[in-house]
Amino acid sequence: MLSVFFPFCHIAEFFLIPLNQSGISYIMEITPERAALSVRPIERRTSVEQMIQRIFDFFLFGGKDFALFVISMIPFIELRGSILLGAAMGIPWPRAFAVSFIGNLLPVPFLILLARPIFAWLKTTRLLSGLTHRVENRLMSKSGKIEKYSTIGLFLFVAIPLPGTGAWSGSMIAALLGMKLNRALPAVIAGVFTAGVIMTVASYGLLGAIRLF
């Protein structure tokens, strides 16, 4: 069911392969060790695909739209993944876009308002303090553009569909930086809408082209 969906989720990997000192792409130097390592991302994709499939199937009792709505609220998947999934499932693009857009935005106001106090409280607990510090440091390592350009930086962070960006991480970074709801929320909404347009054109256009062959 998701065999068409997942290849597009990892297109960016091909642009993130580092170059060695001689300028030859890492992928061109095939050794047994690297060949073995190259299997691991495929194994991880298979496990992620199975996880999303299980989540989708579990919520199918409410129909495809409801399952897609739930998928769009999940961190790291969000609207970007749910629109691709909607295309793979044959859901018309206006429905997939609308359901994914609303679902992705639903947690945003709560994240902007509550992420900072929740993080502050979690850092006082013995059990979750270390994990909370690591998550916060990871988020703040991506906050440079948002700190520099404020709402425009936040918009671009959410709008450009790259790994590690999106409404969840953008909203939490905005909260940790102390941005007010009336400034952060419009930027995230505009960013999610833009990301939705990009993903709709990419996923439905690519899948449409593939189905011609």
Side-chain angles (χ1 to χ4, degrees):
M1 185 182 295
L2 299 180
S3 59
V4 182
F5 164 57
F6 271 88
F8 299 118
C9 295
H10 301 275
I11 289 173
E13 291 180 8
F14 292 97
F15 301 98
L16 299 176
I17 298 170
L19 298 178
N20 62 21
Q21 290 182 354
S22 64
I24 300 174
S25 173
Y26 178 94
I27 199 170
M28 296 299 292
E29 298 180 5
I30 303 300
T31 65
E33 294 79 9
R34 287 173 180 172
L37 286 171
S38 68
V39 176
R40 295 177 188 173
I42 296 173
E43 293 173 348
R44 287 198 297 270
R45 290 177 212 170
T46 302
S47 63
V48 172
E49 179 178 348
Q50 290 172 348
M51 179 193 71
I52 295 178
Q53 182 68 67
R54 290 193 191 103
I55 295 171
F56 187 83
D57 290 343
F58 179 81
F59 288 101
L60 269 177
F61 67 85
K64 287 184 179 180
D65 289 355
F66 178 71
L68 199 67
F69 179 80
V70 173
I71 291 290
S72 70
M73 289 192 290
I74 298 175
F76 308 112
I77 302 175
E78 303 190 24
L79 165 142
R80 299 120 184 263
S82 63
I83 287 179
L84 281 165
L85 179 58
M89 296 294 298
I91 298 173
W93 73 262
R95 256 173 52 205
F97 180 93
V99 169
S100 300
F101 179 71
I102 295 169
N104 200 178
L105 285 180
L106 190 61
V108 168
F110 304 101
L111 291 170
I112 296 171
L113 289 172
L114 301 176
R116 193 173 187 179
I118 289 174
F119 270 60
W121 174 73
L122 288 174
K123 285 188 286 187
T124 65
T125 65
R126 293 183 60 186
L127 183 62
L128 297 173
S129 176
L131 176 62
T132 305
H133 276 98
R134 287 196 295 273
V135 172
E136 182 174 345
N137 290 338
R138 182 74 180 270
L139 287 169
M140 296 310 291
S141 70
K142 304 173 184 177
S143 66
K145 292 288 189 280
I146 300 176
E147 285 186 278
K148 185 175 181 179
Y149 300 109
S150 189
T151 53
I152 299 298
L154 179 58
F155 161 73
L156 292 173
F157 182 88
V158 176
I160 300 173
L162 292 173
T165 66
W168 273 79
S169 51
S171 298
M172 287 191 287
I173 291 171
L176 293 172
L177 290 175
M179 292 182 69
K180 300 295 185 184
L181 181 66
N182 61 355
R183 296 182 63 232
L185 185 58
V188 175
I189 291 173
V192 171
F193 184 87
T194 304
V197 171
I198 293 170
M199 294 308 302
T200 299
V201 171
S203 58
Y204 282 83
L206 284 172
L207 287 170
I210 289 171
R211 286 165 181 162
L212 291 176
F213 296 96

